[in-house]
Each structure stands twice: as C-alpha cells, then as structure tokens.
C-alpha cells in the first residue's frame, strides 16, 4: 500500500478558448465560505451518504455496460497549453484510476507535470481505508490554499474513495472552498464535464453518486510505463467486512465481460508489456454476477494462461471464494505466477467472525494446504489487522502462530482504524492504543524474520527478474522483481530494462536481493 506522485506521459492537442471566470470572481468564491443552502442543494441532487442497509440490498440487474465513451466535442481542447498533476493515495485500484484520469485529461489537451507550481489542474485521488490516509489528504488540501490564492485560475479537485464519504464532502464544502471539484469513484468518466463546469462556474462542482452499477468500457488510459500494466476485471465489493469502508466507497461487485478483459490483455501483450496484474477488491468473486454465462475467475485465469504475455498476477484474493477450479488452473503454471497474496486479517476464528470474513482459522489453513499440495513452491503473502475492537492477547497470539504456520514471506500489517459508517466503528473497544502498537511491532518483527529467512534461501541461486529500471538509490544499478515478487538489485546493461533476465543472487537482505546478471540472458520477445 503506497502513495505515489504520478509521472504521466504528455500529449498536446489543438485548442479551444471560451469565456473564463474572472480572477476576481474566483478570489471572491475562495474567500467566501459556502452557505448551508449550497451544501443542501448538492446533497439533495447528487450526493447520498453511504447507507449499509441500502448497500446490502444491491440489485444485480442494474449493471449496464457502456461502450460509447467520448470526450464531448466542446471540451476536447479545453486543456490545450495547460498542465495537470494527479496525486494518488492508496491502493492499486486508485493508481489505475489515476491512469484513466490521466488518459481523459490528455485527450482533453492537457499535458502532465510533476511540478505543483506548473500545474493548471491538480487532482487528489484519495484513499479512505484508514484515518491517517484521510488526515494526509486534508493536510495537502490545506497546503494548496496559498497556491490557489496566488493562482486563482488553478483548478483543484478531490476524487477517489474519500469523496464517497458524506463527512468528507461536507467538510470540504464548509471549510475548503478553494477546492473547485469533488467527484466520486463512480463519476470518473464525467471528468471532462466537471472540469468544464469548474472553469466556467462560480460555485464548487460536486458530483458524487452512491448509485453504482455501470461499467464504462472504453475509457482512455495513460499507463505508467510500458513494462507492467494493471487491468481491472471487476469493480466494487459485496463482502462487507465489518471494519471496511470499501463496499460503500466502491459500490457493488460488478464484473467486466471476459471478452473485454481478454481483448485488453491481448492488446497489452501486442504492445510488448511483460506483466499484467488483474485487479479487483475480491477477484475470486469474479463472474458471480453474470446471469447469462457460467464463467468464473478460474476460467478467466485459464484464458490468461493462453495469452502470450510472460507474467500474470492478480490482487486481491478473498479466501472465501478461492475455489478448487482456480487452484487447479493456477497449478498449470506458465505465465500464471506462483505468488499468491491471500489476506487473512486475523488468526483467530472468533475475531474473523466479528470481522464478518466468513471463514475460520481452520478454513484458511485448509485452503493453504490445498494450494501448497497443488503448487508446492507457492509463495504466500497476506494482509493483517491488529487491535480489532476487543482483540484479546490470546487472539493476537493466534495471529502470530498462524503467520508462522503458513510461513508468510511478507505481509501488509495495519492497526485497526475505525471508519465511520462501518459496523465495527460502533463497537466499544477495550484495547489501549499502546497495546495495539506493541502488537503491530511484534507482528512486524516476526514477518521480517520470515522474510529474511526466505530471502536467505536464494543465496547463489539464479532467478528470473523482470527489469523495471534503475535503482532509486544508484542509477548504475538495475532493479526488478522475480516471479515471486522479490525485489532484486543488480549491475547490468540498460538494454536489459523491460526484459526478463537471469540474475545470480550474491547477497540477501530482509526485503531485497542483490546479484549479478548472468550474461546473454536477455530474452528477446
Ligand atoms: N479486498 C481486499 C481484501 O479483502 O483483502 C483488501 C482491500 S483493502 C484496500 C486492503 C487492506 O486494508 C485490507 O486487507 C485490510 O487489511 C486493510 N484495512 C481495511 N480496512 C481497514 C481498517 N478499517 N483498519 C485497518 N486496516 C484496514
Ligand atoms: Fe473490504 Fe472485505 Fe471487501 Fe476486502 S473483502 S474490500 S476487506 S469489505
């Protein structure tokens, strides 16, 4: 889980010009705090706060597919001569949404920049998963105010998961009038219209739909790099883990049609991409919503197996829907890599029940046993939450023993963060913050130890590395990932970038490997 400022490819299109809001109008608006009337107007017309009961009554038949996305003619050139910057917080889903927004803005004539001072449009693509992620965004919103006062034509937008929360939208509208646009995760395709409205309107433009269900297929994308690509296979989540805000911010589970995914992956393969990662909050639920075909995630992976692309990954898996057919297909190997990220969240059946994960410790261990039987070399990594409300010392110890028993080689570990609107947030919690921090520390020590031990086993071995570029620390060193997602740094020719090469490991660390490239192993595709 990382946050990255995104470098996007630039592209210039010809122009259009129109009457713009005057500087004075803009400054007046920024200085005037919005009225409650205005907030009420937006909440009535376009915003409905997350409602768990309503969300659970989702109806599948409402899913509609749209293949006719177009940038409206009158906004096609609106960004000519202007620059955009998108700051992305949170998960891969957000990173990929940023690629789509960059694609849309590029088609509107905008060029990308990484310099805040150069940007004419800045979007904060936000994450709502934990409170500290939100605090960072509010900090950034505050930092942008002086820039907006200095440069009134600058358009500032907040989008992503935080925009789907009523309290966040309310706070922005009341306290941060320098933000011009707020839009949600279901409104990305509306970006051209929203930017246009912000340019010519005096009011804040807020468009957040709780209604979800549509799949917009042919949105443009500016992908980050040309070696690895994200491919969405489904949107939303219907699992309703009691701690998690995602089912509310991302809407119901809805799968893209297999033919659209296969076509996108084939196209990426033809363009020379070496690795794709299939994305969904719960990829194992893929296809459950199809009414006309019986086609699930195992079938999709089987079709991926037939495509001539060297590496296929997927994230994230929910243990509950990880079925035998999928295991059977993954065992075919080839381009289906044997690294499986399988979030467990807790090692205690009692805590898992309270989390509404719908599996027990024993179910999880049985699934791991099946995976290892079919794929003996499988590497498993996971997500774990410590300090879930009222987690006892014994329950936490059960997490520790499970981590050891499974032998996870890496884990994203989190302290539970209450999210407004989720059932767990209503629970009294008797675990002191200090105890939670201690538990996180102990868990991380164990995970680090296991990671270091797994790394040691690579000493003097040769691994296949997809070379992604130069190491951040030393431009003379190349860096890439093995099939099992281990970071490798090694000296080699720049011509190896974008290729899969053999590297002999000479030194192992806790989270990375050092090595030397085995000569003549640059695979030419
Ligand atoms: N859909 C994925 C799954 O079920 O494993 C994960 C999606 S979520 C973006 C990534 C991780 O954030 C979760 O696996 C969980 O460990 C963590 N997470 C979610 N809500 C959280 C909360 N309220 N507090 C702390 N961690 C949380
Ligand atoms: Fe959140 Fe659970 Fe859905 Fe993952 S499966 S996104 S943790 S509700």
């Amino acid at each position: 889980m990382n946050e990255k400022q995104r470098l996007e490819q630039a592209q210039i299109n010809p122009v259009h010009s129109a009457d713009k809001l005057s500087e004075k109008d803009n400054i007046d608006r920024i200085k005037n705090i919005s009225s409650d009337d205005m907030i009420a107007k937006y909440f009535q017309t376009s915003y409905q706060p997350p409602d768990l009961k309503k969300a659970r009554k989702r109806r599948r038949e409402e899913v509609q597919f749209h293949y006719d996305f177009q940038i409206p003619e009158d906004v096609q050139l609106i960004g000519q001569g202007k620059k955009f910057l998108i700051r992305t917080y949170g998960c891969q889903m957000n990173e990929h949404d940023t690629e789509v927004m960059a694609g849309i803005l590029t088609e509107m004539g905008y060029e990308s920049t990484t310099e805040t001072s150069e940007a004419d449009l800045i979007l904060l693509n936000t994450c709502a998963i934990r409170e500290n992620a939100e605090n960072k965004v509010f900090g950034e919103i505050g930092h942008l105010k002086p820039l907006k006062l200095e440069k009134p034509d600058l358009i500032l937008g907040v989008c992503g998961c935080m925009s789907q929360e009523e309290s966040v939208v309310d706070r922005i509208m009341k306290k941060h009038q320098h933000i011009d646009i707020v839009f949600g995760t279901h409104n990305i395709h509306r970006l051209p219209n929203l930017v246009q409205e912000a340019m010519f309107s005096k009011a804040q433009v807020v468009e957040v739909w709780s209604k979800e269900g549509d799949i917009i297929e042919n949105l443009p994308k500016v992908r980050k790099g040309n070696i690895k690509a994200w491919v969405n296979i489904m949107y939303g989540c219907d699992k309703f883990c009691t701690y998690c805000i995602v089912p509310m911010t991302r809407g119901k589970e809805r799968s893209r049609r297999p033919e659209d995914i296969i076509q996108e992956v084939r196209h990426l393969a033809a363009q020379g991409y070496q690795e794709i990662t299939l994305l969904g909050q719960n990829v194992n639920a893929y296809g459950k919503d199809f009414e006309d075909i019986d086609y699930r995630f195992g079938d999709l992976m089987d079709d991926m197996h037939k495509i001539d692309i060297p590496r296929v990954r997927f994230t994230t898996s929910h243990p509950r829907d990880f079925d035998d057919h999928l295991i059977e297909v993954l065992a075919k190997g080839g381009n289906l890599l044997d690294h499986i990220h399988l979030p467990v969240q807790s090692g205690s059946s009692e805590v898992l029940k309270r989390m509404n994960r719908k599996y027990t410790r024993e179910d999880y261990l049985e699934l791991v046993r099946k995976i290892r039987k079919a794929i003996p070399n499988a590497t498993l990594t996971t997500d774990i939450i410590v300090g879930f409300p009222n987690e006892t010392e014994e329950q936490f110890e059960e997490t520790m023993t499970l981590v050891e028993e499974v032998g996870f080689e890496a884990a994203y570990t989190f302290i539970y963060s209450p999210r407004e609107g989720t059932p767990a947030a209503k629970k009294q919690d008797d675990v002191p913050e200090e105890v939670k921090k201690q538990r996180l520390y102990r868990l991380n020590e164990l995970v680090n130890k296991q990671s270091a031990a797994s790394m040691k086993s690579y000493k003097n071995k040769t691994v296949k590395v997809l070379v992604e570029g130069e190491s951040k620390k030393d431009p003379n060193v190349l860096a890439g990932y093995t099939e099992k997602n281990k970071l490798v740094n090694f000296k080699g020719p720049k011509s190896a970038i974008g290729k899969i090469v053999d590297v002999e490991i000479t030194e192992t660390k806790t989270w990375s490997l050092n090595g030397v490239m085995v000569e003549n192993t640059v695979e030419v595709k």
Side-chain angles (χ1 to χ4, degrees), residues 150-164:
E150 207 180 282
K151 212 173 146 182
D153 284 345
L154 169 68
I155 296 179
L156 297 178
V158 176
C159 55
C161 288
M162 274 173 69
S163 312
Q164 296 286 143

Side-chain angles (χ1 to χ4, degrees), residues 1 91 129-130 243-244 246 281-282 316-318 343 345 357 383-385 414-417 419:
M1 302 284 147
C91 66
I129 207 90
R130 279 170 293 275
Y243 50 81
C244 186
V246 169
Q281 288 300 343
N282 170 16
T316 297
S317 272
H318 190 296
Q345 312 299 357
R357 290 291 287 183
D383 290 357
I384 296 170
I385 296 176
F414 312 100
I415 291 185
Y416 166 72
S417 171
R419 306 312 294 133

Side-chain angles (χ1 to χ4, degrees), residues 68 73 137 182 230 249 330 343 351 407 426 485:
D68 54 357
E73 235 171 71
V137 171
V182 182
W230 309 111
T249 61
L330 293 179
V351 173
K426 295 190 193 94
N485 219 22

